[in-house]
Amino acid sequence: MLDACTRCGACFAACPITEPAGLAASDPSATVTGVLDILRLGAGTAEAEKWAKACTLSGECIKVCDYGVNPRFLLAMARLALTRKGSEPPARRKRGVDAFRKMSQDVSVLSQLQLSEEALIRLGQRPSRQPPRVELPDLVFYTGCNVLRTPHLALLCLDIMDVLGIDYQVMGGPSHCCGILQLRAGDTDTSSRFACNTISKLAQSKTGEVLSWCPSCFVQFSENMLPTFERTTGEKPFDMTPFMRFLHRNLDTLRPFLKNRVELDVALHRHPGVAGVAEAAEELLRAVPGVTIVKLDVPAVGLQSNSLASLPTYQRELHLKELELAAKAGVDALISVYHTDHRELCAHERDWPFRILNVLDIVGTCMGLHQDDHYKTMKIKQDVDAIIGDASDLIKRHGVNLDTARAVIVNGMLGDQPLPLRDTRQRP
């Protein structure tokens, strides 16, 4: 890619975050040249470093390159080079370990506050009571890790596939880590070990297709780890397909099951980072009888909501603008696609005159399927003691430490709120 790049600057010009990042006046070609210098382990430029660190993975840069370069991948490798340059291996390993441990604890505790033992088994987070499969499944459904914080979404995926008669096996959770946290910390050795271990597990299906839910995992595998694995081994163990695109591909099979009208005017919360997912989600909503889609004049940027954390002020501005426009348009619901979108938006349902739902909530209702959104119910309470009280039976059943549960609720749920909720005295 370094050899193929002509430094034309088209990727920089197409990037939707140059202005929010304070780079609108920067020269595109010079900034790209600075990124290439960082990748060659040079000093680069201040503009190039700022651009790499601000990247929200929107993917617009990929669409405009005529030379076979993936600028998003180059920016990820530039961030890696900067991280490795700025710290020694022990510090990088510790950051990766700390990030992984926090994620694992948050996922484990929050899923246990919401799910029965049977549901945890169904999502692959407990050993199955059934005999091991004799034959490989047709497909592997890969949850990733963090969707288990909002497990009703993953359960709806399984419910829909069950209705469609799809033969699948669920894999995911911290034991099937994609290695992205270690890569962000600069610990490439651990990241590669985690990813290769998970690749070996995921490559266990008849069709060689893995359905992915998490966009971060999708980019990590499809742009970073699988190409490296293929170049190293000469093998391509599987193809990865985002679940929304898979559902859209099977829309003709799905249509006969879309029987119940869902009378809602909705707006779709969009992120363009994985090509075709937002479009697939919109087409799925259009297939639901009774749903009307209202377009809001809000920029669609980033891979998913938390990808905008590199520009927190811009993230808050976008969320507030979307909520205000949704209220002005009189929609019945603002619809998320990914789990991170849902986590960051769902509690705002308390303060605005519309619901926060997911695409799968709508499709599931149309099919006669339902999973309780316990995460939203808990987060709307904004009260640790009330949440602990409601989940007390599950806390006892799963043996969750109360102090740990309290810390996770405070930091991993209530603290996961880029745009603060309104003062209840000021609600419309």
Side-chain angles (χ1 to χ4, degrees), residues 214-237:
C214 174
S216 180
C217 293
F218 177 81
V219 170
Q220 168 74 341
F221 279 119
S222 64
E223 296 185 13
N224 300 337
M225 294 306 181
L226 283 173
T228 302
F229 188 92
E230 186 174 4
R231 284 193 298 272
T232 303
T233 65
E235 300 176 1
K236 187 178 183 181

Side-chain angles (χ1 to χ4, degrees), residues 147-162:
V147 73
L148 298 173
R149 301 185 193 211
T150 52
H152 88 286
L153 299 179
L155 290 171
L156 282 169
C157 290
L158 306 190
D159 289 343
I160 292 169
M161 288 193 290
D162 287 345

Side-chain angles (χ1 to χ4, degrees), residues 387-398:
I387 294 169
I388 291 285
D390 287 351
S392 59
D393 288 346
L394 287 172
I395 288 172
K396 292 177 184 176
R397 196 177 309 165
H398 295 308

Side-chain angles (χ1 to χ4, degrees), residues 1-8 36 40 65-70 74:
M1 289 189 191
L2 288 173
D3 292 339
C5 180
T6 66
R7 302 173 177 81
C8 68
L36 301 187
R40 291 191 170 96
C65 184
D66 296 325
Y67 303 98
V69 173
N70 181 339
L74 293 186

Side-chain angles (χ1 to χ4, degrees), residues 63-294:
K63 300 174 186 177
V64 299
C65 184
D66 296 325
Y67 303 98
V69 173
N70 181 339
R72 179 165 71 184
F73 171 75
L74 293 186
L75 289 173
M77 294 302 101
R79 289 193 297 278
L80 173 61
L82 291 166
T83 299
R84 290 170 68 85
K85 184 178 180 181
S87 60
E88 295 299 317
R92 299 198 292 265
R93 284 195 293 272
K94 185 179 187 306
R95 282 200 302 271
V97 167
D98 290 346
F100 179 77
R101 284 177 176 169
K102 182 182 185 306
M103 179 275 294
S104 297
Q105 184 178 79
D106 288 353
V107 163
S108 175
V109 170
L110 289 175
S111 61
Q112 290 178 85
L113 294 186
Q114 302 174 66
L115 298 178
S116 66
E117 183 75 8
E118 291 70 23
L120 289 167
I121 291 172
R122 191 180 180 206
L123 289 173
Q125 302 310 298
R126 293 285 191 277
S128 175
R129 299 191 180 106
Q130 300 300 317
R133 293 182 62 113
V134 176
E135 293 188 359
L136 292 176
D138 289 339
L139 301 168
V140 169
F141 176 71
Y142 179 47
T143 66
C145 294
N146 280 309
V147 73
L148 298 173
R149 301 185 193 211
T150 52
H152 88 286
L153 299 179
L155 290 171
L156 282 169
C157 290
L158 306 190
D159 289 343
I160 292 169
M161 288 193 290
D162 287 345
V163 170
L164 297 182
I166 293 168
D167 178 39
Y168 63 88
Q169 184 170 350
V170 180
M171 297 185 188
S175 63
H176 292 70
C177 179
C178 68
I180 187 63
L181 296 176
Q182 295 78 15
L183 187 68
R184 290 172 182 165
D187 184 3
T188 52
D189 289 343
T190 303
S191 178
S192 296
R193 285 198 300 272
F194 273 44
C196 284
N197 183 47
T198 300
I199 286 172
S200 297
K201 295 176 182 177
L202 295 179
Q204 303 296 320
S205 69
K206 292 178 182 177
T207 62
E209 183 173 21
V210 173
L211 307 182
S212 69
W213 173 262
C214 174
S216 180
C217 293
F218 177 81
V219 170
Q220 168 74 341
F221 279 119
S222 64
E223 296 185 13
N224 300 337
M225 294 306 181
L226 283 173
T228 302
F229 188 92
E230 186 174 4
R231 284 193 298 272
T232 303
T233 65
E235 300 176 1
K236 187 178 183 181
F238 54 81
D239 290 312
M240 189 167 269
T241 304
F243 186 74
M244 286 292 167
R245 289 198 334 218
F246 172 79
L247 270 192
H248 181 257
R249 190 178 84 200
N250 289 278
L251 186 53
D252 288 343
T253 304
L254 182 67
R255 285 186 195 278
F257 299 101
L258 299 175
K259 297 178 179 180
N260 301 319
R261 290 187 64 82
V262 183
E263 300 289 349
L264 291 175
D265 292 343
V266 305
L268 182 63
H269 177 83
R270 300 167 182 269
H271 292 284
V274 179
V277 167
E279 294 80 2
E282 181 171 339
E283 288 302 309
L284 287 166
L285 289 173
R286 291 190 186 282
V288 174
V291 166
T292 300
I293 298 177
V294 177

